Amino acid sequence: NLTDPTAKVSIQKTYDLTKYLEHQLSTLASTYLNYLGPPFNDPDFSPPRVNGTTQIPSATVDFELWRGLNDRLRLVENYRAYSVLLRYLELMTQDLSCPELRRHFNHFCTSLQGLIVSIASVMTSLGYPPPAHPLRVRGVPGVSGGGAWALAGTASSAPSTFLKKMDDFWLLKELQIWLWRSAKDFNRLKKRSLPQTA
Amino acid sequence: SGVRIQYERIGSDVTMQCGTLGSDASITWKVNGSDVDTSVLEGPNLILRNVTLSYNGLYSCFEDSSGDLQDQISLRIGSPPREPVVTCRSNTYPKGFYCTWYLPFPTYIPNDFELTALQNTKEIECQRDAVHKNKCHLKFYQMFSSLKYKVTVTAKNALGKSSATITFDEFSIVKPDPPEKVTAKPIPDNPRRLEVAWQTPSSWPEPDTFPLKFFLRYRPLILDKWQHVELSDTNSHTITDACTGKEYIIQVAAKDNDIGTWSDWSVPIHATPWMEELKPPTNENQPPLITTTTSSSSVPPQSPSYQVSATTRNSATTIP
């Protein structure tokens, strides 16, 4: 149950890690977008979503729906989203030509992996079955064919550099927003894990 | 027939025509009831050069032969609107947000405003505010959206129109209202403590789901330097390093735990820590109190202990 001490500690750790990643990503993302240069580093830049990005899990949700999620579903949605986002981020990182950026993003991917593990441990501490890994590396739907992060050997045509940059832009943006949403999710779990004051 | 309104730009040359009378008609013009200087007449037309606001008025023209009133023109001098300044803000996240706008320069004539809001390609309705005419309210239909909002305000008047567009992310406009009902109380027998309490702004709709964190700042009235302390998961704080006997000014600000910007500071309140009561001498043989007057400048400033920021669970930081 939520008020179990190990669950509470696990939830707090996951929340803190989410906040840490959110801070890290905002710095790393702006560094990368500045590296990409205009228009990607223009604050008003809002390109259309092209094919490669439609498979990225979006954090967008109807408020009542989101508020009504039970704890397990809330955690499962987080777990699934980050599992997919991490995969895309790893593929994006592999494509980076700048070694310094690649090193930072690799470090971030490791931390993001830590978040996924942390979410799984919260679920375990709450007695929920560990989430099935949503995607096998090869089976990432929509990534093949035209997708910016096409898996080796499945891409029919390599996307243009500009299209690839747009996909990277949307990946980082969705990841940022997921981290904001997760902070709210884990904060909600934190609140529910506090003993109800009389 | 009634009075017709004629709008003209400041600094322009204006021709006032007397109804549909021909150029050979003999006319008399009055402005606000007074005769007009004949040097500005050109046949039946009245020519006004490089007009200013002082030319505003009711212009009437009469046909000399019959003395009949032919036309009445209310002349309004003004300017076309310049680009409006638009601001959007969410102090009721995640329910919705509002936008306000104003014209940076006066136009001196009536203006109309139109607001259109888009998220991606979807238009969002903006509900006009019942009280403020330059304000309207919009709903967040979805949360945690990566699509930007685009709000355009178009200002229009008889002399022209202008518009301004802003784009923003959902999170960047989240700014709560200041905390409410801030109180500060001395704590008996504790000359260096003050107990401060406040309430979450009533406009913030989901404090449990979207908790706020707070920033408390306080300083003795006689000093300029604030002390700050950031606080989460609480609506009260005990100041433990107050200067004995000094009146304090205290304010609190609020921010969503994860997104957006800090609120404005709450209305300042004042409080003085508890002080030992100076008891009057109880019996005659008590030597009279020797009172000496010392000018404040000679009194050494309080030991700088109050300079040390409060060490609490939360780090004290200074807002740049």
Side-chain angles (χ1 to χ4, degrees):
Chain A
N1 75 63
L2 266 174
T3 54
D4 163 60
T6 49
K8 276 171 66 178
V9 167
S10 189
I11 292 167
Q12 182 65 52
K13 268 191 192 160
T14 307
Y15 175 79
D16 294 340
L17 180 52
T18 303
K19 296 291 283 179
Y20 166 75
L21 286 172
E22 181 204 324
H23 180 69
Q24 290 296 96
L25 182 61
S26 67
T27 312
L28 191 50
S30 65
T31 305
Y32 180 47
L33 294 180
N34 284 328
Y35 167 75
L36 293 180
F40 297 96
N41 56 356
D42 175 349
D44 288 343
F45 183 53
S46 188
R49 299 286 291 260
V50 292
N51 184 32
T53 63
T54 50
Q55 297 308 312
I56 297 176
S58 172
T60 304
V61 63
D62 169 79
F63 172 62
E64 296 302 339
L65 196 69
W66 174 78
R67 184 164 56 172
L69 287 172
N70 64 41
D71 299 334
R72 192 184 71 79
L73 261 183
R74 194 177 296 281
L75 289 160
V76 166
E77 286 204 2
N78 274 270
Y79 184 89
R80 281 201 185 122
Y82 288 118
S83 302
V84 175
L85 289 163
L86 174 59
R87 194 58 200 119
Y88 281 128
L89 198 62
E90 285 166 343
L91 292 170
M92 180 195 106
T93 302
Q94 285 167 22
D95 284 352
L96 288 176
S97 50
C98 166
E100 185 68 9
L101 268 175
R102 198 165 51 243
R103 190 170 61 79
H104 283 297
F105 270 105
N106 272 323
H107 175 70
F108 184 85
C109 285
T110 308
S111 306
L112 193 55
Q113 178 64 51
L115 178 61
I116 296 171
V117 168
S118 192
I119 295 169
S121 77
V122 170
M123 297 189 72
T124 309
S125 67
L126 293 176
Y128 300 135
H133 199 288
L135 293 159
R136 287 179 318 284
V137 168
R138 292 233 149 261
V140 177
V143 169
S144 57
W149 312 283
L151 292 177
T154 54
S156 52
S157 61
S160 79
T161 311
F162 187 81
L163 270 182
K164 181 188 173 322
K165 288 178 180 178
M166 276 221 294
D167 292 337
D168 293 353
F169 171 89
W170 278 113
L171 171 60
L172 295 177
K173 181 148 193 182
E174 284 295 353
L175 182 51
Q176 176 82 70
I177 292 170
W178 261 106
L179 288 167
W180 278 327
R181 170 173 162 172
S182 300
K184 298 300 177 194
D185 283 320
F186 301 135
N187 197 69
R188 198 171 170 75
L189 290 170
K190 241 172 56 171
K191 288 266 170 169
R192 289 164 51 77
S193 69
L194 300 176
Q196 296 307 314
T197 46
Chain B
S1 67
V3 175
R4 59 190 176 88
I5 299 177
Q6 184 171 330
Y7 292 101
E8 298 291 352
R9 287 184 187 223
I10 295 176
S12 63
D13 294 344
V14 174
T15 301
M16 309 281 286
Q17 288 182 324
C18 184
T20 56
L21 291 182
S23 59
D24 53 356
S26 174
I27 301 294
T28 298
W29 282 91
K30 288 183 185 284
V31 58
N32 297 332
S34 311
D35 285 346
V36 164
D37 171 3
T38 53
S39 67
V40 294
L41 292 180
E42 236 178 56
N45 295 337
L46 185 59
I47 308 299
L48 306 174
R49 306 262 178 233
N50 191 18
V51 293
T52 65
L53 295 177
S54 64
Y55 282 75
N56 279 335
L58 181 63
Y59 291 73
S60 314
C61 59
F62 304 84
E63 193 173 14
D64 289 344
S65 55
S66 62
D68 289 346
L69 172 67
Q70 296 300 314
D71 200 359
Q72 275 197 308
I73 306 149
S74 173
L75 181 61
R76 302 278 179 79
I77 306 299
S79 325
R82 303 265 284 269
E83 202 171 295
V85 177
V86 187
T87 308
C88 295
R89 174 185 163 207
S90 174
N91 60 337
T92 57
Y93 188 77
K95 270 169 67 176
F97 61 100
Y98 68 83
C99 296
T100 56
W101 56 87
Y102 68 88
L103 290 179
F105 301 98
T107 64
Y108 310 104
I109 58 175
N111 304 292
D112 285 323
F113 296 94
E114 209 180 86
L115 181 142
T116 55
L118 292 173
Q119 188 187 28
N120 211 17
T121 53
K122 180 181 174 188
E123 185 150 357
I124 304 169
E125 187 206 351
C126 200
Q127 202 85 38
R128 283 295 174 120
D129 189 274
V131 175
H132 309 286
K133 72 179 179 64
N134 285 14
K135 179 176 182 178
C136 69
H137 302 267
L138 307 95
K139 280 203 176 82
F140 282 124
Y141 287 100
Q142 286 188 319
M143 287 170 53
F144 307 118
S145 171
S146 54
L147 300 175
K148 283 186 184 285
Y149 289 85
K150 187 170 162 182
V151 171
T152 300
V153 171
T154 302
K156 227 181 285 188
N157 68 23
L159 298 174
K161 74 174 185 177
S162 177
S163 64
T165 297
I166 59 171
T167 56
F168 51 86
D169 278 312
E170 170 187 332
F171 310 102
S172 62
I173 62 168
V174 175
K175 176 181 177 180
D177 288 329
E180 295 167 358
K181 301 194 172 85
V182 183
T183 59
K185 284 183 271 180
I187 304 171
D189 302 324
N190 284 274
R192 301 204 61 195
R193 290 180 175 236
L194 281 167
E195 202 171 286
V196 186
W198 58 88
Q199 285 183 10
T200 295
S202 47
S203 52
W204 193 252
E206 299 278 346
D208 283 342
T209 306
F210 295 88
L212 296 174
K213 60 183 176 184
F214 300 98
F215 229 120
L216 170 65
R217 74 175 183 181
Y218 55 97
R219 65 175 169 83
L221 218 49
I222 56 171
L223 292 182
D224 294 333
K225 189 171 186 306
W226 292 95
Q227 279 172 260
H228 298 88
V229 56
E230 185 172 324
L231 303 153
S232 296
D233 299 327
T234 181
N235 277 53
S236 65
H237 176 69
T238 301
I239 294 172
T240 55
D241 57 355
C243 283
T244 308
K246 291 290 181 281
E247 182 183 12
Y248 268 75
I249 179 169
I250 296 157
Q251 290 179 290
V252 191
K255 180 184 173 299
D256 176 87
N257 238 16
D258 308 300
I259 54 179
T261 56
W262 286 99
S263 74
D264 296 334
W265 290 105
S266 63
V267 175
I269 60 161
H270 294 243
T272 304
W274 175 87
M275 284 185 289
E276 187 91 42
E277 272 177 36
L278 293 179
K279 297 188 187 65
T282 51
N283 48 40
E284 296 68 27
N285 53 20
Q286 185 83 19
L289 267 178
I290 302 165
T291 54
T292 56
T293 53
T294 52
S295 69
S296 63
S297 60
S298 70
V299 173
Q302 281 286 324
S303 62
S305 58
Y306 56 79
Q307 297 295 339
V308 174
S309 60
T311 50
T312 63
R313 178 165 52 81
N314 300 285
S315 62
T317 45
T318 304
I319 294 185

